[in-house]
């Protein structure tokens, strides 16, 4: 049984968000200043998806994880903020079908080598601001800035996304790239273990999300 796999939290296959016709242009927003005038839409975990992809020298692994709860802050017809809680205990590996190997992989990801899930059962992301994004080849219309907390460590992160609000539903979809070493997940990292050779696991992993929230 090989001991390597790349972490999960927060992207695997991309999940497409609903398309909103005639979406208004995204205005630059700051969650701190807009919060007083905003309405909280509740995240719908059963309608939202979060997938991950982790790569290593000899291949990759992918899976999914579930949102626990959260809210999207809406002002008028604009998303201006939000907080999202991820249930780390829901972590799954999708690309390995053999049950024993799959279980060992999940167990390793849950361990101190990676996400230390018994001690850190949730991870969170808080939007601090959004800025309009034009000309994105993937159809993203906003740059989302926020704070990501994994293993109790909080670091700033930014990524492109497609966001919109229509008929009491707020939606956000996209892919974020995360450097795991910033969250004290150094297992198999060539940045810290130079002689690891072809057993190296890439420092960055991706998370693809499709969040649905309702008023």
């Amino acid at each position: 049984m090989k001991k390597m796999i790349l972490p999960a939290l927060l992207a695997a296959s991309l999940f497409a968000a609903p398309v909103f016709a005639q979406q208004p242009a995204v205005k630059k927003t700051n969650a701190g200043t807009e919060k007083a005038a905003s309405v909280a839409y509740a995240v719908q975990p059963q309608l939202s998806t979060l997938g991950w992809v982790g790569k290593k020298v000899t291949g990759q692994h992918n899976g999914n994880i579930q949102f626990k709860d959260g809210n999207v802050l809406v002002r008028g017809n604009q998303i201006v903020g939000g907080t999202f809680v991820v249930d780390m205990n829901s972590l799954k590996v999708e690309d390995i079908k053999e049950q024993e190997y799959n279980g060992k992989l999940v167990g390793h990801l849950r361990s101190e080598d990676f996400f230390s899930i018994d001690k850190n059962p949730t991870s969170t992301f808080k939007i601090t601001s959004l800025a309009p994004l034009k000309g994105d080849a993937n159809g993203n219309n906003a740059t989302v800035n926020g704070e990501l907390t994994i293993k109790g460590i909080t670091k700033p992160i930014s990524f492109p996304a497609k966001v919109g609000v229509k008929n009491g539903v707020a939606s956000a979809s996209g892919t974020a790239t995360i450097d795991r070493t910033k969250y004290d997940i150094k297992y198999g990292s060539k940045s810290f273990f130079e002689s690891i050779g072809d057993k190296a696991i890439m420092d960055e992993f991706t998370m693809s999300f499709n969040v649905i929230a309702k008023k």
Side-chain angles (χ1 to χ4, degrees):
M1 166 68 201
K2 295 182 178 178
K3 244 184 176 182
M4 54 176 47
I5 45 180
L6 221 193
L9 198 193
L10 304 133
S13 39
L14 289 171
F15 298 98
V19 176
F20 295 130
Q22 299 180 341
Q23 289 187 54
V26 176
K27 298 178 182 178
K28 186 175 182 180
T29 63
N30 183 294
T33 58
E34 302 286 4
K35 188 173 181 180
S38 63
V39 176
Y41 285 32
V43 171
Q44 307 294 301
Q46 73 279 14
L47 300 177
S48 302
T49 54
L50 184 61
W52 60 267
V53 171
K55 297 182 179 181
K56 54 187 179 180
V57 172
T58 56
Q60 68 178 47
H61 292 294
N62 65 269
N64 64 74
I65 196 164
Q66 296 177 1
F67 288 101
K68 183 177 182 180
D69 54 43
N71 61 71
V72 174
L73 301 180
V74 177
R75 184 171 185 257
N77 56 4
Q78 298 285 332
I79 293 176
V80 298
T83 301
F84 311 91
V85 181
V86 175
D87 179 8
M88 297 301 294
N89 280 299
S90 69
L91 173 66
K92 289 183 174 61
V93 173
E94 294 181 318
D95 63 295
I96 297 176
K97 304 305 180 185
E98 200 279 314
Q99 188 173 1
E100 182 179 359
Y101 185 25
N102 187 297
K104 288 181 179 180
L105 219 60
V106 171
H108 196 192
L109 288 175
R110 292 181 57 90
S111 75
E112 296 287 338
D113 284 342
F114 288 99
F115 295 102
S116 187
I117 291 177
D118 287 343
K119 295 180 181 178
N120 302 277
T122 61
S123 294
T124 61
F125 175 68
K126 181 179 180 180
I127 297 175
T128 54
S129 66
L130 294 92
L133 178 63
K134 296 181 179 180
D136 182 270
N138 295 315
N140 299 309
N141 60 355
T143 297
V144 179
N145 305 299
E147 297 176 341
L148 177 63
T149 301
I150 301 174
K151 293 180 72 173
I153 300 170
T154 302
K155 297 290 182 181
I157 186 172
S158 298
F159 49 85
K162 183 177 181 179
V163 302
V165 180
K166 185 179 180 182
N167 296 332
V169 178
S171 173
S173 65
T175 300
T177 299
I178 301 163
D179 182 347
R180 65 188 175 96
T181 64
K182 292 182 177 180
Y183 303 91
D184 194 33
I185 304 172
K186 301 173 183 176
Y187 181 87
S189 169
K190 199 169 184 178
S191 299
F192 295 88
F193 307 98
E194 295 182 3
S195 62
I196 201 166
D198 63 2
K199 293 183 179 181
I201 300 171
M202 303 302 115
D203 289 348
E204 293 183 336
F205 69 99
T206 55
M207 307 241 21
S208 293
F209 58 90
N210 179 23
V211 179
I212 302 296
K214 294 185 178 181
K215 191 172 182 179

